[in-house]
Amino acid sequence: MRRLGWSDVTPRADWLNRRQILAGAGALGLAGPAFARIEAKASRFSTDEKPNSFEEISNYNNFYEFGLDKGDPAQNAGALTVDPWSVEIGGLVERPGSYPLDDILKGVTLEERIYRLRCVEGWSMVVPWIGFELRTLLERAGVQPGARFVAFETLVRPEEMPGVRSRILDWPYREGLRIDEAMHPLTILATGLYGEEMPKQNGAPIRLVVPWKYGFKSIKSIVRISLVEKMPATSWNVQNAREYGFYSNVNPAVDHPRWSQASERRIGSGFFAPRIETQLFNGYGDQVAQLYAGQDLSVDF
Ligand SMILES: Nc1nc2c(c(=O)[nH]1)N[C@H]1C(S)=C(S)[C@@H](COP(=O)(O)O)O[C@H]1N2
Ligand SMILES: [Mo]
């Protein structure tokens, strides 16, 4: 069952106003709206592009634990139990442990981050995430000097995840970032979108969002975060290293072996709408290009 998002029913101008009003109301301690909403402040990191509708964002998904088709996650993820939820933080950290989600959320400031999402398959969306910077959680756990990478794992619960009962991938779904990528302010852990709790098909209750990388890096329904010394194994790279590199930065000049990455189809733009030119680092180059200074992006793809 899905609740209506306000931008479904309100024009964008109203929605923006509402967003500002809500942010202001939170700051002033005024009563919020009658329905359950996550309070979050707007962010200077947000794009001003028009977000996709809640309908589009929550019905066109990749979440192979729930099936291969774009509609499968919306169909099947309802069965996922997301409460209680804990995230195991371990490896090279000062304070390893199993952190209940409630405790994690107590120490963070939720923000709305409207980001472009570019899937390696050649489509894109704009999503108004609610989340917080990954670095705030890593700093709380205390990163040890030897940690050079961060590894993430998704829940594996075959009873609730029909895709996990077949061998589409080598479960658990795994992803990873270099430590400087993980500490970058654009990298967030998202717990909602459109000001509401994360739909299960989008990776409830907590998922990664790395907007300058192909969508598969943004791992969903995270149960484990490990600080490690060596570059960790990641699901799509293990599946096919020639097609999916560890970095997987959005790059129109580095084609997938089986298709061009020069352009993308914006979901919801209509069948005859022209394709959009894909931008290096998905348009976030001003903020992230320096992370890769001296690297050849066609080698480290
Ligand atoms: N655990 C897990 N995380 C995942 C995936 C998946 O299959 N399993 N798919 C990835 C891919 S390919 C994309 S494009 C994004 C899609 O996120 P969305 O459905 O919220 O748009 O999730 C990523 N995270
Ligand atoms: Mo993707």
Side-chain angles (χ1 to χ4, degrees):
M1 244 199 312
R2 85 161 200 82
R3 292 158 294 175
L4 271 183
W6 20 301
S7 76
D8 287 348
V9 292
T10 45
R12 171 148 170 87
D14 289 358
W15 177 57
L16 278 175
N17 278 335
R18 180 101 199 237
R19 197 151 61 95
Q20 274 146 20
I21 291 162
L22 282 175
L28 293 168
L30 303 176
F35 45 99
R37 299 199 47 79
I38 299 172
E39 261 182 38
K41 61 180 178 121
S43 167
R44 67 191 171 90
F45 294 113
S46 288
T47 173
D48 53 16
E49 282 171 79
K50 184 183 185 295
N52 281 85
S53 68
F54 184 92
E55 199 66 52
E56 288 159 351
I57 294 167
S58 60
N59 283 288
Y60 189 90
N61 301 101
N62 277 332
F63 199 168
Y64 278 13
E65 286 86 337
F66 294 101
L68 288 172
D69 290 342
K70 296 288 183 278
D72 286 346
Q75 186 100 43
N76 298 330
L80 179 68
T81 309
V82 296
D83 187 11
W85 193 275
S86 298
V87 180
E88 182 91 33
I89 305 182
L92 300 169
V93 289
E94 304 296 342
R95 291 169 287 282
S98 177
Y99 289 84
L101 185 60
D102 290 345
D103 291 352
I104 291 175
L105 292 179
K106 265 177 217 150
V108 303
T109 309
L110 291 178
E111 284 182 39
E112 179 175 71
R113 294 281 181 101
I114 307 174
Y115 283 163
R116 290 177 293 275
L117 174 83
R118 169 59 155 84
C119 176
V120 73
E121 297 164 338
W123 54 265
S124 64
M125 294 199 209
V126 177
V127 185
W129 302 111
I130 300 288
F132 60 93
E133 294 179 4
L134 171 62
R135 63 174 173 179
T136 61
L137 181 61
L138 297 182
E139 278 161 8
R140 270 165 71 203
V143 178
Q144 292 179 5
R148 292 179 55 234
F149 293 90
V150 186
F152 304 86
E153 284 180 22
T154 295
L155 176 77
V156 182
R157 194 180 286 150
E159 322 84 85
E160 294 181 355
M161 297 173 142
V164 166
R165 302 200 287 265
S166 63
R167 288 181 197 226
I168 309 166
L169 286 171
D170 180 26
W171 312 112
Y173 193 102
R174 279 170 288 167
E175 258 312 330
L177 296 171
R178 209 170 58 190
I179 193 78
D180 56 342
E181 299 175 325
M183 300 301 268
H184 193 283
L186 282 178
T187 303
I188 60 168
L189 287 171
T191 56
L193 57 84
Y194 268 117
E196 299 184 13
E197 272 176 22
M198 190 68 80
K200 292 177 180 177
Q201 58 268 37
N202 293 94
I206 186 164
R207 57 91 56 89
L208 186 69
V209 181
V210 192
W212 71 93
K213 292 177 178 285
Y214 290 119
F216 68 83
K217 298 294 291 183
S218 292
I219 181 173
K220 296 177 170 181
S221 305
I222 296 168
V223 292
R224 180 166 291 114
I225 300 177
S226 313
L227 282 288
V228 295
E229 192 199 321
K230 297 213 170 71
M231 185 181 280
T234 57
S235 288
W236 283 103
N237 182 251
V238 166
Q239 169 86 3
N240 190 336
R242 211 174 66 86
E243 298 191 349
Y244 307 103
F246 175 83
Y247 288 96
S248 285
N249 294 313
V250 175
N251 191 337
V254 177
D255 286 337
H256 187 281
R258 291 183 281 130
W259 57 84
S260 164
Q261 293 293 25
S263 69
E264 64 202 53
R265 178 174 64 93
R266 181 60 56 83
I267 298 302
S269 65
F271 190 74
F272 296 104
R275 290 175 69 91
I276 299 172
E277 279 185 34
T278 291
Q279 303 171 71
L280 180 59
F281 300 118
N282 203 21
Y284 297 98
D286 288 355
Q287 293 154 82
V288 301
Q290 82 283 355
L291 296 175
Y292 309 100
Q295 276 181 271
D296 181 340
L297 297 175
S298 65
V299 175
D300 294 337
F301 66 91

